[in-house]
Amino acid sequence: MSERPQNDDPDPNDAFDELVEAETDLPQDLDSARSGETPIPDLAVIEAGSRTLRAQAGPPQGDGIPARPADPEVDRALRAVEEELAGRWGETKLDPSVQRIAALLDILGSPQRAYPSIHITGTNGKTSTARMIESLLAAFDLRTGRYTSPHVQSITERISLDGSPISAERFIETYRDIAPYVEMVDGQQEYRLSFFEVLTAMAYAAFADSPVDVAVVEVGMGGTWDATNVIDADVAVVTPIALDHTDRLGETPEQIAGEKSGIIKKDATVVLAQQPVDAASVMLKRAVEVDATVAREGMEFGVLSREVAVGGQMLTLRGLGGEYPEIFLPLYGAHQAHNAAVALAAVEAFFGVGSEHARTLDIDTLRSAFAAVTSPGRMEVVRRSPTVVLDAAHNPAGARAAAEAVTEAFGFSRLVGVVGASGDKDVRGFLEAFEPIFAEIVVTRNSSHRAMDPDELAAIAVEVFGAERVQVEPRLDDALEAAITLAEEEGEFSGAGVLVTGSVITVGEARLLMGRS
């Protein structure tokens, strides 16, 4: 429990007001910076953090999520880069082509070919799987680069070296190094390079400059025309495919799999998580076409057993080389156990286990690597008494996995949901997945222009939950306060909890409000 400030300390409310005033003077998100809209005061509160919620949450813990730079000059420079990137097409506006990114990387000397890669696609679980793969590779003394999206709190999270996000200074330097070449390509193409394309080039350039021994790369969306798909990865990983981004990728798992199968390259090894039958068929057909080797979860590798443990779960995994018992994974849910099996198989494939030679990887090294895995914003506990859990589920499949995980791992006597969703998602399907476990739901919104209006979200929630179980709080900080108050009504030792979900952006902003910065 946090101590109260001494009488001679500055008034924390004054300090908070100063932070809010400072933040209000700056562009508050990529969308407002791009459009030139007036900053939204509520976002300043989110950026600065709520003093009340911080005090309740307890001290922050290390999790690899960087705060804003402490040096004002560096912070200003980083914001300037963020604004310049925000002036480009956002991640939801796409021209399905790798032509622009290929042209840029060609001018840069093809940095993406300076190291081997593991490429990851799928619908859910990509970032967690990428972080596990990164941890395993690092445990075997390899320098790693990891590129994932979207970020939880800081844009610098997207590009990691040796398991940590690159510094703000290095992010700025990398951008400035490639900026002249970006302008050259902009002038040659029908459309300017997008936000995601420039970030992808920055990641590939940073990895080559380090240099890394291996890059772990998560697609932004899809596969074939995703900006990351200019690498020839030796290992292609496909996490579970479900319906998401149907307006761009297709309306069935089969159609979506067709797009995502584009990351499978000639003679690669494909590590295939459990899939819908139609999606699996598409992936297998693509593998045959390009002479790729396939490792299938449930056939060549998988989860042999799992037990709930304090702080996570204990696993026995079957890899491509054999069995690996007593693996502690400090993440919750069956879906994370399956992600761990996929990550293990991907690393084994990278080392040639199961094809070039038959052996297992060192079990003690694996145990240490898995035990060190973190995945911020994925079934993450940010407060106790009552317990507040964050999970970035944003589609029905993710919601079902989260609902199962929170029920299994926590067994709350009463669970209050805080939901801020994007308007382009299957919100009804998402809410229906949580209806059996939420006693009440507080609907809200995050700072993105894509966020669903709280009243519109509430209307759907009322149809799913009934009016008596739905509360509307347009501001996220108020929604958190309301949910915590509802949970506390059960009493200190009741076992009530709060789950914040609906969007990576909602989770990231909730982390800030709860003091995780």
Side-chain angles (χ1 to χ4, degrees):
M1 185 173 179
S2 302
E3 295 181 357
R4 293 181 183 276
Q6 300 298 315
N7 292 334
D8 56 352
D9 286 346
D11 185 343
N13 291 323
D14 292 342
F16 180 64
D17 290 341
E18 291 175 5
L19 283 170
V20 172
E21 182 178 358
E23 294 296 335
T24 304
D25 290 337
L26 296 167
Q28 296 302 316
D29 67 356
L30 296 179
D31 302 311
S32 62
R34 177 168 58 246
S35 63
E37 295 173 356
T38 302
I40 305 171
D42 284 358
L43 301 184
V45 177
I46 290 170
E47 182 73 21
S50 163
R51 289 292 181 186
T52 302
L53 290 168
R54 282 174 186 268
Q56 293 173 344
Q61 300 176 1
D63 49 31
I65 300 294
R68 296 297 309 184
D71 186 328
E73 290 296 326
V74 175
D75 190 45
R76 277 192 287 271
L78 179 59
R79 288 187 185 277
V81 171
E82 290 172 327
E83 289 180 33
E84 290 180 31
L85 288 169
R88 297 178 173 275
W89 273 2
E91 291 174 279
T92 60
K93 186 172 183 180
L94 305 167
D95 177 46
S97 168
V98 295
Q99 179 179 339
R100 292 174 303 281
I101 184 68
L104 175 58
L105 292 172
D106 185 57
I107 294 176
L108 293 175
S110 299
Q112 78 280 12
R113 304 194 186 284
Y115 39 79
S117 302
I118 297 176
H119 205 178
I120 306 170
T121 191
T123 301
N124 292 312
K126 296 188 295 296
T127 297
S128 292
T129 303
R131 294 177 73 99
M132 292 183 201
I133 291 172
E134 173 189 52
S135 185
L136 292 172
L137 293 170
F140 287 99
D141 298 322
L142 294 180
R143 283 209 79 188
T144 57
R146 172 172 54 83
Y147 181 52
T148 53
S149 61
H151 56 272
V152 178
Q153 287 177 203
S154 171
I155 194 172
T156 60
E157 296 166 37
R158 296 182 180 228
I159 305 172
S160 289
L161 294 170
D162 294 322
S164 298
I166 63 174
S167 66
E169 291 88 347
R170 186 157 190 175
F171 187 91
I172 296 162
E173 179 184 2
T174 303
Y175 175 77
R176 289 175 175 168
D177 283 346
I178 74 167
Y181 305 101
V182 170
E183 292 180 7
M184 289 175 59
V185 174
D186 282 344
Q188 298 169 356
Q189 302 293 324
E190 181 179 1
Y191 303 110
R192 298 173 70 216
L193 287 150
S194 70
F195 168 88
F196 187 74
E197 287 170 330
V198 175
L199 273 176
T200 301
M202 288 173 60
Y204 289 157
F207 297 161
D209 188 54
S210 291
V212 302
D213 296 316
V214 54
V216 183
V217 179
E218 174 189 336
V219 304
M221 186 187 299
T224 300
W225 44 255
D226 186 75
T228 62
N229 200 32
V230 287
I231 53 176
D232 290 320
D234 298 322
V235 179
V237 176
V238 187
T239 66
I241 291 173
L243 298 182
D244 201 5
H245 302 295
T246 53
D247 56 331
R248 298 177 178 88
L249 302 180
E251 297 181 352
T252 66
E254 182 179 13
Q255 292 173 342
I256 293 172
E259 174 56 38
K260 293 181 182 291
S261 69
I263 73 164
I264 301 173
K265 305 297 171 58
K266 183 174 176 58
D267 298 326
T269 298
V270 185
V271 177
L272 197 60
Q274 291 181 344
Q275 304 289 349
V277 173
D278 290 348
S281 297
V282 172
M283 291 291 172
L284 294 172
K285 180 179 178 181
R286 168 67 179 178
V288 169
E289 290 172 351
V290 298
D291 294 323
T293 301
V294 179
R296 299 156 295 178
E297 184 181 6
M299 300 290 287
E300 286 77 24
F301 70 93
V303 179
L304 292 182
S305 68
R306 55 181 293 270
E307 296 180 2
V308 177
V310 176
Q313 53 192 309
M314 190 66 71
L315 311 175
T316 296
L317 302 178
R318 184 177 76 245
L320 304 180
E323 291 188 15
Y324 300 87
E326 298 180 5
I327 301 290
F328 176 68
L329 180 68
L331 302 175
Y332 300 107
H335 62 295
Q336 293 290 18
H338 290 286
N339 289 340
V342 170
L344 170 61
V347 171
E348 285 183 308
F350 181 79
F351 286 129
V353 174
S355 57
E356 298 174 14
H357 43 77
R359 62 177 177 85
T360 58
L361 300 176
D362 181 73
I363 185 64
D364 290 332
T365 303
L366 286 180
R367 286 171 177 158
S368 297
F370 273 120
V373 168
T374 62
S375 194
R378 277 75 180 178
M379 210 52 59
E380 178 186 18
V381 177
V382 292
R383 172 199 158 126
R384 298 286 186 181
S385 190
T387 299
V388 177
V389 182
L390 309 180
D391 192 83
H394 55 273
N395 55 46
R400 288 190 291 271
E404 292 173 5
V406 75
T407 301
E408 174 188 75
F410 298 97
F412 291 121
S413 61
R414 180 180 181 216
L415 183 61
V416 181
V418 175
V419 176
S422 296
D424 57 351
K425 300 296 182 180
D426 179 5
V427 174
R428 180 179 295 276
F430 179 89
L431 294 177
E432 288 174 345
F434 281 116
E435 191 279 331
I437 68 167
F438 283 167
E440 293 93 10
I441 179 174
V442 182
V443 300
T444 186
R445 66 164 294 152
N446 58 53
S447 66
S448 171
H449 77 291
R450 295 170 57 204
M452 177 174 281
D453 178 81
D455 290 333
E456 183 181 351
L457 178 55
I460 301 174
V462 166
E463 293 177 1
V464 175
F465 290 86
E468 69 282 356
R469 295 166 63 190
V470 178
Q471 182 172 334
V472 182
E473 294 291 348
R475 283 174 48 135
L476 181 57
D477 56 341
D478 291 336
L480 291 170
E481 290 275 19
I484 289 170
T485 299
L486 286 169
E488 289 176 335
E489 288 178 355
E490 293 290 293
E492 184 178 356
F493 303 106
S494 68
V498 175
L499 176 63
V500 184
T501 188
S503 164
V504 175
I505 298 172
T506 299
V507 164
E509 292 175 355
R511 285 182 103 256
L512 279 170
L513 287 166
M514 298 301 294
R516 295 301 176 97
S517 59

